[in-house]
């Protein structure tokens, strides 16, 4: 399916920040663009604003003066919806970016349907409403779909192409080809609550908030661990302060309600209290953090320097995610003696520290749960060689000397160390395991293809690795076992591994 020809008109209804951004993208792709807003004068204001955007691009050297003039000549406001049809039925796509109210959007598209040509695609930029519901009352819903741009639309590459229940395959393919021709990266998905990014990303916030609610670590430490160990560009507390606590909480509540209150999507009471208090983040000056001018940013908990042990003993084999650690330890000048697992050892190996403390990768259980002797769990890292920080969680029986030895061991590898409370699954591991499960569930249910899912999460929320690719690296068996342990610690269904993940794990074990 070919993209919409540049000579044909793209109309944008709703001229706020998002509408203007979408108009700019279509304009610079060579299309004539018409702007419409129900509020008198807004379309003309938006035209001036988009022209000013073009001027700034020229000033930055990203656009020539001739290109700006040609683009500006293609931009026109429309006084009436009827004007969007354009001369000789040239309008090929209308994108709506108005307020998120179902009845208002339905009314708009009902009116547009009688105005635009028969081959014109109709698209909503909704991020929270059902595409199927918006287009359900149309006479020809096959040409209706979602085109979810991310803000700011001219800068962010990802666009979710959302197929409603009645969307024709040809319409979705033409929209995807058009978005790609505009220089964006399209991903196609079915009409599921939250689409791809907002559906799969929920655990990134929810798990961090839950660790905080259990008083295992403070926001600054959780953010630092997810950045320094997990490789994420921002932690969830600082990111939601940037997004707005009200916005992020609203999306979470909407997805939770749309999935009929599935416990996997349960919102955070701590975040809800922030919203109720009007502490919405940067836009109000305070959220999880104080953003007032001159306010001191809280620092993450970082352990003081400790002496590293001269030697450790590796029992069995560490899980694939931590398999590089023995070599890194030896490179740091610490002896790694090797001993076979005995019958009392668990499924995965561990490092024995002087004094009898077992140091192991978190497996979804608390360090003090159903395990003999003193233990210290270490958290998952994107890459133990390059990560800047590692979190440790000691059991209550772990002696202070053992915790210091574990701390010194990772410090000898060049890592900062954060010691947190003994919370099941710790921080990075529980977050990543849930992201993998949500992504595998979406793929298994046919919401989107695996490549599109990973692309969406890398480009839409800047994850360091696509969750499905990350899951393959960890091994679906490990992720499934980790979540079963989490479900044991927290009964109720939130952490129960999805059937698609369980099937993938069974395939890898040769059981299916």
């Amino acid at each position: 399916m070919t993209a919409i020809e540049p000579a044909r008109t793209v109309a944008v209804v709703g001229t706020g920040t998002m509408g203007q951004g979408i108009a700019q993208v279509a304009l610079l792709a060579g299309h004539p663009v018409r702007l419409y807003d129900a509020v008198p004068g807004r379309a003309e204001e938006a035209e001036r604003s988009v022209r000013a955007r073009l001027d700034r691009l020229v000033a930055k050297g990203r656009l020539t003066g001739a290109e700006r003039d040609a683009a500006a000549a293609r931009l026109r406001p429309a006084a009436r919806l009827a004007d969007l049809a354009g001369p000789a039925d040239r309008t090929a796509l209308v994108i709506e970016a108005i307020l998120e109210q179902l009845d208002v959007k339905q009314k708009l598209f009902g009116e547009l349907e009688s105005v635009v040509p028969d081959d014109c695609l109709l698209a909503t930029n909704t991020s929270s409403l059902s595409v199927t519901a918006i287009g359900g009352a149309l006479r020809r819903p096959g040409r209706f779909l979602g085109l979810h741009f991310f803000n700011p639309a001219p800068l962010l590459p990802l666009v979710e192409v959302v197929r409603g229940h009645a969307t024709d395959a040809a319409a979705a393919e033409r929209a995807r080809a058009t978005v790609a021709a505009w220089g964006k990266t399209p991903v196609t998905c079915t009409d599921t609550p939250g689409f791809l990014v907002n559906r799969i990303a929920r655990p990134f916030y929810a798990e961090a908030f839950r660790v905080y609610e259990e008083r295992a670590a403070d926001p600054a430490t959780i953010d630092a661990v997810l950045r320094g160990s997990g490789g994420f560009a921002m932690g969830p507390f600082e990111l939601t302060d940037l997004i707005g606590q009200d916005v992020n909480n609203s999306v979470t509540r909407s997805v939770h309600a749309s999935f009929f209150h599935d416990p996997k999507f349960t919102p955070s009471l701590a975040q809800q209290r922030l919203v109720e208090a009007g502490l919405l983040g940067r836009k109000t000056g305070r959220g999880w953090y104080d953003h007032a001018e001159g306010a001191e940013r809280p620092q993450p908990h970082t352990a003081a320097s400790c002496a590293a042990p001269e030697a450790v003993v590796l029992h069995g084999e560490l899980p694939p995610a931590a398999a590089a650690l023995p070599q890194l330890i030896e490179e740091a000048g610490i002896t790694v003696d090797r001993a076979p697992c005995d019958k009392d050892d668990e499924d995965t190996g561990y490092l024995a520290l002087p004094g009898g403390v077992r140091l192991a990768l978190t497996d979804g259980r608390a360090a003090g749960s159903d395990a003999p002797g003193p233990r210290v769990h270490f958290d998952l890292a994107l890459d133990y060689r390059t990560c800047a920080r590692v979190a440790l969680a000691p059991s209550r029986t772990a002696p202070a000397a053992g915790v210091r030895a574990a701390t010194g061991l990772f410090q000898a590898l060049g890592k900062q160390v954060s010691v947190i409370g003994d919370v099941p699954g710790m921080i990075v591991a529980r977050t990543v395991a849930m992201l993998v499960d949500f992504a595998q569930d979406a793929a298994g249910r046919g919401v989107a293809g695996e490549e599109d899912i990973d692309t969406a999460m890398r480009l839409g929320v800047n994850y360091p690795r696509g969750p499905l690719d990350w899951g393959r690296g960890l091994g679906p068996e490990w992720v499934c076992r980790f979540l079963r342990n989490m479900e044991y610690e927290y009964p109720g269904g939130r952490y129960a591994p999805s059937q698609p993940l369980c099937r993938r794990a069974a395939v890898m074990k040769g059981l299916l």
Side-chain angles (χ1 to χ4, degrees):
M1 180 63 65
T2 58
I4 294 171
E5 302 84 351
R8 295 197 64 179
T9 299
V10 173
V12 178
V13 179
T15 58
T17 301
M18 181 59 78
Q20 291 178 29
I22 295 171
Q24 179 181 329
V25 171
L27 200 61
L28 293 180
H31 294 274
V33 174
R34 302 299 302 272
L35 296 169
Y36 174 80
D37 200 293
V39 179
R42 287 274 181 86
E44 289 76 13
E45 291 177 10
E47 179 190 22
R48 292 190 291 271
S49 179
V50 173
R51 288 177 184 271
R53 290 168 178 249
L54 299 179
D55 290 339
R56 289 194 292 272
L57 291 176
V58 172
K60 294 177 180 179
R62 298 176 183 173
L63 203 65
T64 67
E67 290 170 332
R68 173 198 58 198
D69 295 343
R74 295 193 299 270
L75 179 65
R76 294 174 57 198
R80 304 172 303 151
L81 274 181
D83 296 337
L84 298 184
D89 292 345
R90 297 301 296 166
T91 301
L93 171 64
V94 180
I95 304 176
E96 162 272 315
I98 64 173
L99 69 167
E100 292 284 82
Q101 291 185 10
L102 179 60
D103 58 342
V104 176
K105 291 181 187 286
Q106 288 175 326
K107 182 177 183 295
L108 169 66
F109 282 107
E111 294 172 351
L112 282 170
E113 191 173 35
S114 63
V115 169
V116 299
D118 289 345
D119 68 341
C120 178
L121 297 181
L122 299 177
T124 174
N125 185 58
T126 185
S127 61
S128 61
L129 300 176
S130 164
V131 170
T132 301
I134 297 172
L138 295 178
R139 295 191 304 274
R140 296 181 56 217
R143 61 172 170 172
F144 182 78
L145 70 154
L147 285 180
H148 181 218
F149 289 75
F150 289 75
N151 194 27
L155 297 180
L156 296 185
L158 185 71
V159 178
E160 293 176 319
V161 180
V162 186
R163 302 188 308 265
H165 187 71
T167 301
D168 291 337
E173 291 168 7
R174 185 163 173 80
R176 180 171 178 134
T178 299
V179 167
W182 291 359
K184 297 298 183 181
T185 302
V187 293
T188 303
C189 65
T190 60
D191 183 21
T192 184
F195 309 144
L196 283 181
V197 172
N198 281 330
R199 170 181 172 152
I200 295 173
R202 296 347 293 162
F204 180 71
Y205 313 105
E207 295 311 309
F209 296 163
R210 186 151 188 172
V211 171
Y212 165 76
E213 289 169 346
E214 294 185 27
R215 295 297 185 263
D218 60 276
T221 299
I222 296 170
D223 279 351
V225 170
L226 281 162
R227 290 194 312 269
S229 187
F232 293 93
M234 296 181 73
F237 294 91
E238 57 190 344
L239 181 55
T240 53
D241 264 4
L242 178 63
I243 295 169
Q245 300 302 331
D246 53 340
V247 174
N248 183 263
N249 183 59
S250 177
V251 172
T252 300
R253 292 172 65 87
S254 174
V255 172
H256 182 232
S258 297
F259 276 109
F260 307 106
H261 301 95
D262 187 327
K264 286 181 176 288
F265 297 94
T266 301
S268 163
L269 180 59
Q271 186 182 45
Q272 178 66 23
R273 290 292 181 260
L274 277 185
V275 174
E276 292 169 347
L279 305 178
L280 307 183
R282 290 183 179 271
K283 61 186 175 183
T284 61
R286 186 178 170 192
W288 296 110
Y289 299 109
D290 186 349
H291 299 281
E293 186 175 353
E296 185 177 351
R297 183 69 176 262
Q299 296 300 305
H301 172 78
T302 303
S305 179
C306 296
E310 295 182 359
V312 296
V313 180
L314 173 61
H315 289 256
E317 298 294 333
L318 297 180
L325 276 177
Q327 180 179 346
L328 297 179
I329 295 170
E330 289 178 326
E331 289 174 3
I334 299 170
T335 300
V336 179
D337 295 318
R338 287 168 170 78
C341 276
D342 59 43
K343 63 181 181 179
D344 294 325
D345 290 332
E346 298 178 2
D347 294 335
T348 58
Y350 64 92
L351 294 165
L353 302 176
V357 171
R358 293 187 177 191
L359 179 64
L361 175 65
T362 177
D363 62 357
R365 292 175 293 182
S369 294
D370 300 329
R375 288 178 173 262
V376 176
H377 280 174
F378 61 88
D379 206 351
L380 181 68
L382 176 66
D383 183 338
Y384 285 102
R385 181 174 292 277
T386 61
C387 71
R389 183 178 294 268
V390 170
L392 300 178
S395 66
R396 291 187 178 183
T397 59
V403 177
R404 288 195 298 270
T407 299
L409 177 66
F410 280 101
Q411 289 174 338
L413 305 186
K415 318 302 179 187
Q416 292 180 305
V417 175
S418 293
V419 179
I420 68 171
D422 186 17
V423 63
M426 301 189 68
I427 298 172
V428 180
R430 69 192 289 169
T431 299
V432 171
M434 288 291 279
L435 290 172
V436 171
D437 186 58
F438 274 43
Q440 193 68 62
D441 184 57
R445 294 176 185 271
V447 172
E450 292 192 1
E451 183 177 349
D452 274 2
I453 288 172
D454 275 356
T455 297
M457 303 313 293
R458 285 188 294 101
L459 298 184
V461 277
N462 202 25
Y463 284 178
R465 192 172 182 180
L468 292 172
D469 180 49
W470 211 335
R472 286 189 287 270
L474 295 171
E477 298 168 78
W478 185 88
V479 178
C480 193
R481 183 168 61 250
F482 181 97
L483 290 174
R484 290 193 189 281
N485 287 339
M486 290 287 292
E487 174 69 7
Y488 174 80
E489 297 274 10
Y490 300 104
R494 179 186 178 107
Y495 298 103
S498 66
Q499 282 303 306
L501 177 63
C502 293
R503 287 196 295 270
R504 178 63 64 92
V507 168
M508 296 300 293
K509 292 175 68 174
L511 299 179
L512 289 178

